[in-house]
Amino acid sequence: MSSASPDSGPSLPPQTTRRQLAELRGPATVPRPLDARALAALAANPGCRRRALLDGAGVDKSALAAKLGAPAPFGQSQFAIVRGNSFEAKVKADGGRELLRLVGADEAGEVAVPDLAAAGPEGRTARTALALREATGAGTWTLLDHPLLALEVAGSPVYLEPDAVVVGPDGGWTVVEIKSFPMIDGSADPAKVGAAARQAAVYVLALERVAARTEGARVAHSVVLVCPKDFSNVPTASVVDVRKQRSVTRRQLDRLTRIDEIAAALPEGVSFDVAERSPQELAASVECVPHQYAPECLAACELAFHCRSRAREGDAVETLGRSVRAELGGLTTVGAVLAAARGEQGDPADPAVAALRRAKALREEALACR
């Protein structure tokens, strides 16, 4: 996929598609940009066309879920945001000296901190690419504070802003993630570290796109995670290998259906304009887009409670989890599963049906022995 210029970011969707996405979102509504956290969640469920379309159109899913009557408890508290910003400022103070020390550059000497300001996301992306090239050619330590990177996802451009990228004298580029959750006795909450690793893997993929056009550049597949040490506000760092997360994310993003294909399949009158449409109209529009619910969505998608409610109404086996759904083959409802287990329907030669009947027989045998 080519872009208009080497550093201007990914190519934009066709003009017709952009106009259609704007109409779906609401012409007067400012599009909600995707971030790395949302992109990692999208890649974790590539079969969900509903989320792909809503994210591609820039729909505010939190506002949409609230109007549908199924709000999700997403978002950080104001206290957590202030604490996180304060900790990040402490890590980056004094021209990034402490951050460079955590990265392993104790004797860094003079550290360059280029100005990445520019007009618009395309301008900032191009300015970041230029700063990365200059830093790689200079052969000195360089700290890029909140650079802007770009990826093309399902035919739409996504702009991403890591906390920092450090360029070493050897041309190595390292992503730095700064989080406010504590690292106690050298380890942090595995779930939070995993989420940070998936988020950082998206940044690595975006950096690799720039590195492919930069002579001497090398993107590290290990990122530096900076957190408060124990119960203090003193920063400490840990190196996290994100090769697995990077490979999975790249594969899942490649599988995403293009936004223009999903939009083209919609019937006339579909709109996600939260400001202008009634809850009933929004619900009908949402149901026009196929979704793929799983319990994991509850921790990653603002529409998860709405989708769960619809899945339960349809008696869908997806409510039991992806692994269970995969084992049940053509049995798509909980009622069909129970009927198959009781011998009321289903092909006995079907491995899923046979396993269900065997499980029922074993349960009855166990209960009889009590």
Side-chain angles (χ1 to χ4, degrees):
M1 299 178 183
S2 60
S3 55
S5 67
D7 300 321
S8 61
S11 57
L12 293 171
Q15 186 67 32
T16 303
T17 303
R18 278 185 281 166
R19 188 183 308 115
Q20 185 176 9
L21 293 179
E23 291 173 354
L24 288 173
R25 180 179 65 248
T29 305
V30 177
R32 188 178 183 87
L34 271 175
D35 58 17
R37 183 176 301 174
L39 194 55
L42 179 61
N45 192 7
C48 187
R49 293 189 167 204
R50 180 176 296 172
R51 172 154 194 167
L53 178 65
L54 293 174
D55 282 346
V59 175
D60 186 341
K61 297 195 299 299
S62 293
L64 177 60
K67 196 153 186 180
L68 290 173
F74 274 81
Q76 288 181 301
S77 68
Q78 192 62 35
F79 173 78
I81 293 173
V82 171
R83 183 174 185 273
N85 290 340
S86 173
F87 179 68
E88 182 176 338
K90 178 181 177 67
V91 172
K92 293 178 178 178
D94 192 22
R97 289 285 176 184
E98 179 66 10
L99 179 54
L100 267 293
R101 184 190 67 78
L102 293 170
V103 171
D106 294 319
E107 304 296 332
E110 186 176 350
V111 179
V113 184
D115 181 6
L116 302 179
E122 294 87 356
R124 287 188 58 200
T125 301
R127 182 67 190 89
T128 294
L130 177 61
L132 284 167
R133 279 202 304 272
E134 292 175 343
T136 304
T140 57
W141 287 100
T142 302
L143 171 64
L144 275 67
D145 186 4
H146 285 287
L148 196 67
L149 308 170
L151 272 180
E152 187 169 285
V153 180
S156 290
V158 176
Y159 296 98
L160 310 165
E161 189 174 345
D163 292 327
V165 172
V166 173
V167 180
D170 61 350
W173 300 356
T174 303
V175 172
V176 178
E177 270 293 281
I178 302 173
K179 299 295 184 183
S180 59
F181 57 79
M183 194 174 294
I184 301 172
D185 292 334
S187 63
D189 183 338
K192 293 181 179 179
V193 173
R198 289 189 294 273
Q199 183 176 341
V202 176
Y203 298 139
V204 169
L205 287 173
L207 266 182
E208 287 178 338
R209 181 180 178 277
V210 185
R213 302 189 304 271
T214 305
E215 184 178 354
R218 175 179 50 81
V219 180
H221 290 166
S222 293
V223 303
V224 176
L225 177 63
V226 179
C227 300
K229 183 178 181 181
D230 298 326
F231 300 100
S232 69
N233 202 37
V234 177
T236 186
S238 176
V239 176
V240 180
D241 189 331
V242 297
R243 283 177 295 182
K244 178 180 178 181
Q245 290 86 350
R246 169 191 167 276
S247 297
V248 171
T249 300
R250 183 177 63 178
R251 183 169 63 251
Q252 299 292 60
L253 290 178
D254 288 343
R255 290 176 55 196
L256 284 172
T257 305
R258 290 183 60 86
I259 300 299
D260 52 358
E261 296 176 13
I262 303 175
L266 295 176
E268 288 289 330
V270 170
S271 173
F272 307 105
D273 190 340
V274 176
E276 298 295 331
R277 296 300 178 107
S278 68
Q280 293 75 20
E281 290 173 319
L282 290 171
S285 294
V286 167
E287 292 307 309
C288 288
V289 190
H291 74 290
Q292 189 164 306
Y293 171 76
E296 293 85 350
C297 296
L298 295 173
C301 182
E302 295 87 341
L303 275 181
F305 287 87
H306 173 80
C307 295
R308 182 181 66 175
S309 175
R310 292 295 184 269
R312 286 175 172 175
E313 289 175 6
D315 202 28
V317 296
E318 282 82 2
T319 59
L320 304 177
R322 289 190 181 122
S323 59
V324 175
R325 175 68 188 90
E327 293 289 339
L328 293 174
L331 302 172
T332 58
T333 67
V334 175
V337 171
L338 296 176
R342 291 192 296 262
E344 298 170 359
Q345 67 180 55
D347 183 359
D350 185 332
V353 174
L356 286 168
R357 293 179 182 175
R358 175 61 177 161
K360 180 176 181 295
L362 290 173
R363 178 178 181 275
E364 290 176 345
E365 182 180 325
L367 290 174
C369 294
R370 290 179 63 180

